[in-house]
RNA sequence: GGGUGUGUAGCUCAGGUGGUUAGAGCGCUACGUUCACAUCGUAGAGGUCGCUGGUUCGAGUCCAGCCACACCCACCA
């Protein structure tokens, strides 16, 4: 028995618990069925569910549940990410509240504290995923820092190192002075600002009064200048090439060199070269073998290579300008639009800094990763994202993987006292290798850097399945079937997974990659805490239920586009759930219980045959769209079938049957209703798993749980459905006419059908009478019976007449008919224009022409009828 | 500078291969206490499909140009 009211919260929590406790999310490993697998994009272990997750996980759960019902062996592999920088920052912030820094604690104690924090807050997001209904196999939950995954990290690191694909280099890297670590290119955000361009000059050595003029946005870096560059094509300035200039405020003299990096059109045409603090200058420096002078400390204050040691860059900039001005070398300062790099996590200004770092040879790894997409082993959905992927992969730079953090996978690198590097999976092995190398016992020290978080996430598709062990799960579920993620993560994660997997497994990590957009606010703006326009999915679920939120996500997901969150739409889908719930109650109250021996093909009543046909059409539509990842089309098809077809028409049309006397027909209709309701529960389950399960469990005995029930296969049989479509069209036409003429709801007029070409009325008269609120409906036997007060309406099956004397205002009816006539007239003009066009008639396909002629004939007929009707009531 | 998208009803958006009178939800208007549901029902109003050309018998759909807007990548001394 269903409850009187639909209360999502009670239903959803209870049902999820049952699924998880019963092991319903676990694949049946004994089955020989085809495998289907998804690895979850691991959320930050200490994070909270946001709408982006809600979208991502909903889509995955729909695919997982659909494929599970299709009988496949399904694994949805869950887990979380240690999120190096993000997590370390949170913990450091907490410590700061107590006035402690991580350095006070020391590395070991600090890491202990992070683990404690993880234990404390780490379960939240997984609980939230459960609340959403995600049917992951939680018994297999993994964490990027757990023992197994760490082993995978070590193994692949050593392998890459020994293959020469990981190397150490002193290079200019993006340095985050707040976090005091290197970060990758992807972790740097370029922000537009209006800065200043400073113009000043360096005196030429040996030529009194001669200068080379410089333009720069960062005058304080001049202490790191080791040359000035001018293009050899710069007619105005090329005479300076080869000369030397004095670097003011220092005792250094630097060369003026020829380099095409200096664009004659830009700035002054002469560029100060600071190889240790600018990526372009670094390249110039390499070309000309320039000295690289580092002028910054790790916290971005100036160092002792400058006169302003200890000052911040902004303070030093001011001092530098003042000092240059005093020397009479400043020329001017102009406003200048520019882009400044910021750390995506710390929001600190990123400084290019010369440091020792570790790199992955991404350009080499990209080769196979590109090939796998080119040859279709991995397909993006929608396809156009492969362009983004190729674009990036073909221009990929070495990937800086070392981070000067404490929270993360410490690199398996050991140094001998003389600096020789040993890379092994364990300290013992490294020691052994070192001892062998030196022929004696040496003391090793371990590299303190940890790996970029995305290094371990890059292994996620196979490390979670047990690799490096050749587990049953790895064999069964790798490569995974599809990865579902946002476009913002293609470079960070999708590309890295492709590279790591192709390198280690020689197979793609997933056969398809479904890319969705961002979740935005109702007006399409990006959600952010500062704009205060974020919507908390947990609050939404609390208010409307997880089913409503899920359905919203599915219905809004059109390939490639962003999703705008809309409370009114979510509310609408909650209403949809309520509607279904009440429809189920209607069935229940009318004794519609599932009959095991029900055979759809033996059904006789036109209404029942009709709804079965519609159910098959909907099944086909939904299945087709799910297979093609067309989530919104699938969701809309099920919505339309449930509300627009089953509730609005089938249930309404079944009422005269249930309230009537024909017991045989009642029995058949009950069985049909139960069958179709079951079909609805099956089709809707991937989208709304909770309410469908609740109804499934409480309406009749079942020999299978809904979550494992077989997805309906559509048979080809075409049933006769025209009689019901005829009735629906007629009912709608009568209702429309009644509304136009203000026929009171209580009035029960008669209806006469004219020129009826079919005998559909025999089966449908009682339902038409009931739904159109008529006293009677019959076929007009003789035109002589037409009275003046008969108002005429048209519908697809012909013409009907309704005597309305004393009920309506005939002036309104005359107006209506005139309007209708003019509409018919304009349609006729359209048809005539087309059909009199020789080009159309001769070139358009025959069936299109025929169809046009048919419509013309139909409209002509309507014109005649309508004119007659108007004439008839002319004087009333 | 390179790339990718978007512009359709008051709002948010659907409209795989060109072909009925361009759709949905919300909102709006009128009516409705029919015993599944007012978290509902019935009916309705509302659109020069960004602009201009082109291809075609036929263009929201294909092509070109333009105008807006969004995002991504690179760079700007």
């Amino acid at each position: 028995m269903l409850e009187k009211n639909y209360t999502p919260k009670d239903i959803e929590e209870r049902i999820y618990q049952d699924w998880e406790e019963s092991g319903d999310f676990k694949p049946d490993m004994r089955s020989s069925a085809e495998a289907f697998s998804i690895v979850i994009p691991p959320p930050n272990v200490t994070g909270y569910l946001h709408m982006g997750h809600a979208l991502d996980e909903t889509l995955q759960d729909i695919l997982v549940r659909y494929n599970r019902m299709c009988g496949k062996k399904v694994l949805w592999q869950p887990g979380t990410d240690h999120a190096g920088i993000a997590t370390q920052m949170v913990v450091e912030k907490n410590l700061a509240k107590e006035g402690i820094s991580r350095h006070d604690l020391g590395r070991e104690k600090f890491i202990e504290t992070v683990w404690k924090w993880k234990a404390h807050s780490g379960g939240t997001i997984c609980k939230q995923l459960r609340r959403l209904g995600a049917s992951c196999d939680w018994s297999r939950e993994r964490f990027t820092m757990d023992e197994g995954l760490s082993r995978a990290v070590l193994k692949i690191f050593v392998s890459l190192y020994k293959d020469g694909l990981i190397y150490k280099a002193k290079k200019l890297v993006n340095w985050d002075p707040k976090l005091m670590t290197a970060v990758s290119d992807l972790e740097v955000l370029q922000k537009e600002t209006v800065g200043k361009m400073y113009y000043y000059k360096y005196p030429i050595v040996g030529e009194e009064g001669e200068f080379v003029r410089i333009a720069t946005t960062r005058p304080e870096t001049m202490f790191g200048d080791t040359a000035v560059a001018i293009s050899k094509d710069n007619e105005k300035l090329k005479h300076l090439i080869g000369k030397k200039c004095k670097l003011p405020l220092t005792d250094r003299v630097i060369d003026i060199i020829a380099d095409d990096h200096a664009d004659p059109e830009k700035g002054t045409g002469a560029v100060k070269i600071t190889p240790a603090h600018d990526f372009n200058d670094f390249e110039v420096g390499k070309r000309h073998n320039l000295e690289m002078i580092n002028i910054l400390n790790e916290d971005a204050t100036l160092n002792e290579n400058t006169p302003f040691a200890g000052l911040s860059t902004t303070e030093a900039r001011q001092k530098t300008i003042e000092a240059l001005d005093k020397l009479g070398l400043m020329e001017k300062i102009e406003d200048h639009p520019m882009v400044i790099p910021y750390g995506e996590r710390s929001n600190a200004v990123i400084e290019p800094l010369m440091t020792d770092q570790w790199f992955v040879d991404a350009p080499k790894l990209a080769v196979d990763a590109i090939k796998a997409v080119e040859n279709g082993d991995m397909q993006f959905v929608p396809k156009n994202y492969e362009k983004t992927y190729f674009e990036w992969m073909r221009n990929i730079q070495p990937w800086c993987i070392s981070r000067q953090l404490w929270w993360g996978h410490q690199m398996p690198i050991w140094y001998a006292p003389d600096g020789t590097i040993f890379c092994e999976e364990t300290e013992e092995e490294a020691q052994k290798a070192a001892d062998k190398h030196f022929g004696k016992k040496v003391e090793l020290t371990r590299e303190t850097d940890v790996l970029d978080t995305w290094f371990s996430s890059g292994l996620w598709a196979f490390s979670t399945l047990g690799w490096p062990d050749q587990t049953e799960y790895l064999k069964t579920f790798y490569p995974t079937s599809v990865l579902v993620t946002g476009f913002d993560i293609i470079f960070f994660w999708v590309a890295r997974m492709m590279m790591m997997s192709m390198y280690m497994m020689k197979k793609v990590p997933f056969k398809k990659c479904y890319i969705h957009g961002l979740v935005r606010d109702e007006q399409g703006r990006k959600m952010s805490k500062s704009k205060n326009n974020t919507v908390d999915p947990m609050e939404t679920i609390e208010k409307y239920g997880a089913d409503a939120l899920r359905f919203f996500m599915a219905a809004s997901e059109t390939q490639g586009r962003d999703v705008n969150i809309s409370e009114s739409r979510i509310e609408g889908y909650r209403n949809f759930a309520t509607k279904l719930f009440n429809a189920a109650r209607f069935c229940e109250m009318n004794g519609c219980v599932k009959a095991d021996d029900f055979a759809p093909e033996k059904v006789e009543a036109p209404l029942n045959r009709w709804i079965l046909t519609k159910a098959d059409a909907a099944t086909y539509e939904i299945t087709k769209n799910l297979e093609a990842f067309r989530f919104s089309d699938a969701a809309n098809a099920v919505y339309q079938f449930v509300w627009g077809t089953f509730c609005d028409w089938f249930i309404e049309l079944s009422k005269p049957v249930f309230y009537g006397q024909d017991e045989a027909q009642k029995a058949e209709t009950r069985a049909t209703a139960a069958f179709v309701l079951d079909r609805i529960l099956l089709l809707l389950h991937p989208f709304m798993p909770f309410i469908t399960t609740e109804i499934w469990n409480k309406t009749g005995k079942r020999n299978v749980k809904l979550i494992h029930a077989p997805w309906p296969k559509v048979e080809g049989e075409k049933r006769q459905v025209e009689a019901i479509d005829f009735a629906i069209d007629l009912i709608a036409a009568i209702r429309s006419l009644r509304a136009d003429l203000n026929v009171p709801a209580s009035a029960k007029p008669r209806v006469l059908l004219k020129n009826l070409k079919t005998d559909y009325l025999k089966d449908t008269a009682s339902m038409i009478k009931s739904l159109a609120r008529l006293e009677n409906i019959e076929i007009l036997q003789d035109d002589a019976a037409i009275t003046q007060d008969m108002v005429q309406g048209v519908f697809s099956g012909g013409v009907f007449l309704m005597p309305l004397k004393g009920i309506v205002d005939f002036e309104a009816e005359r107006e209506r008919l005139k309007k209708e006539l003019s509409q018919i007239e304009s349609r006729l003009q359209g048809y005539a224009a087309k059909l009199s066009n020789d080009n159309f008639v001769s070139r358009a396909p025959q069936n299109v022409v025929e169809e046009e002629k048919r419509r013309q004939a139909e409209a002509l007929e309507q014109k005649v009828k309508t004119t007659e009707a108007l004439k008839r009531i002319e004087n009333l």
Side-chain angles (χ1 to χ4, degrees), chain A residues 462-476:
Chain A
F462 51 89
S463 65
T464 52
L465 296 175
W467 188 90
D469 299 331
Q470 292 302 311
T471 63
E472 192 65 26
Y473 276 80
L474 188 64
K475 274 181 232 156
T476 308

Side-chain angles (χ1 to χ4, degrees), chain A residues 73-86:
Chain A
K73 197 179 347 179
V74 173
L75 172 68
W76 187 7
Q77 171 64 52
T80 51
D81 192 283
H82 68 281
I85 294 179

Side-chain angles (χ1 to χ4, degrees), chain A residues 8 15 45 100 209 301 415 561 636 732:
Chain A
I15 287 176
V45 66
I100 310 172
T301 56
Y415 299 104
R561 288 191 60 155
N636 288 331

